[in-house]
Amino acid sequence: MKTVILIGANGKMGKAALTGLGKHKVITAGRSQDGCDFQVDITSEESLRKLFKEVGHFDAVVNTVGVCEYATFEEMTEAQWMTTVMSKMMGQINIVRIGQ
Ligand SMILES: NC(=O)c1ccc[n+]([C@@H]2O[C@H](COP(=O)([O-])OP(=O)(O)OC[C@H]3O[C@@H](n4cnc5c(N)ncnc54)[C@H](OP(=O)(O)O)[C@@H]3O)[C@@H](O)[C@H]2O)c1
């Protein structure tokens, strides 16, 4: 049995991931703590550091969070790009970089 942190546990993909983790000790985390063990914002380095510090030992992380804006290339504003990059890209990178 491994200790697995599941980020995005309240989402559609998070709930699906949970069904495959039955053999493990699962620690759930989400942006709103609603029903989750911990609150985390994957776009915030500080929030990720706090999560890993509070959880302590773990064996694996399953992340199902990745927000992106949908618009044509011409219509995407800088703010929309930043939302997308900070969640879909830097969120994933920082989970591994800080989590390790
Ligand atoms: N659904 C599909 O069929 C499908 C298929 C392929 C790929 N995907 C991808 O899978 C990812 C999740 O999709 P989904 O359908 O599960 O979305 P969803 O149902 O909207 O769930 C997203 C979850 O992510 C959480 N979240 C959002 N921003 C966050 C942040 N900054 N930090 C921490 N948690 C955050 C939300 O928490 P709150 O509820 O607290 O806001 C919510 O629980 C997306 O990247 C999507 O593109 C989905």
Side-chain angles (χ1 to χ4, degrees), residues 3-18 21 26-31 40-44 48 51-52 58-68 84-97 99:
T3 299
V4 180
I5 303 174
L6 173 58
I7 304 178
N10 281 336
K12 203 180 283 180
M13 296 303 282
K15 284 178 182 154
L18 200 54
L21 293 169
V26 180
I27 295 167
T28 56
R31 184 167 51 185
V40 70
D41 176 358
I42 68 156
T43 67
S44 160
L48 282 168
L51 171 72
F52 292 127
F58 63 91
D59 299 295
V61 179
V62 174
N63 175 53
T64 62
V65 179
V67 174
C68 67
T84 304
V85 167
M86 289 311 291
S87 185
K88 276 272 187 194
M89 189 173 83
M90 289 314 296
Q92 324 297 310
I93 290 170
N94 280 338
I95 286 168
V96 178
R97 190 174 65 84

Side-chain angles (χ1 to χ4, degrees), residues 70-78 80-81:
Y70 289 95
T72 63
F73 196 87
E74 292 84 0
E75 287 168 347
M76 282 282 275
T77 63
E78 184 172 351
Q80 286 177 306
W81 278 116

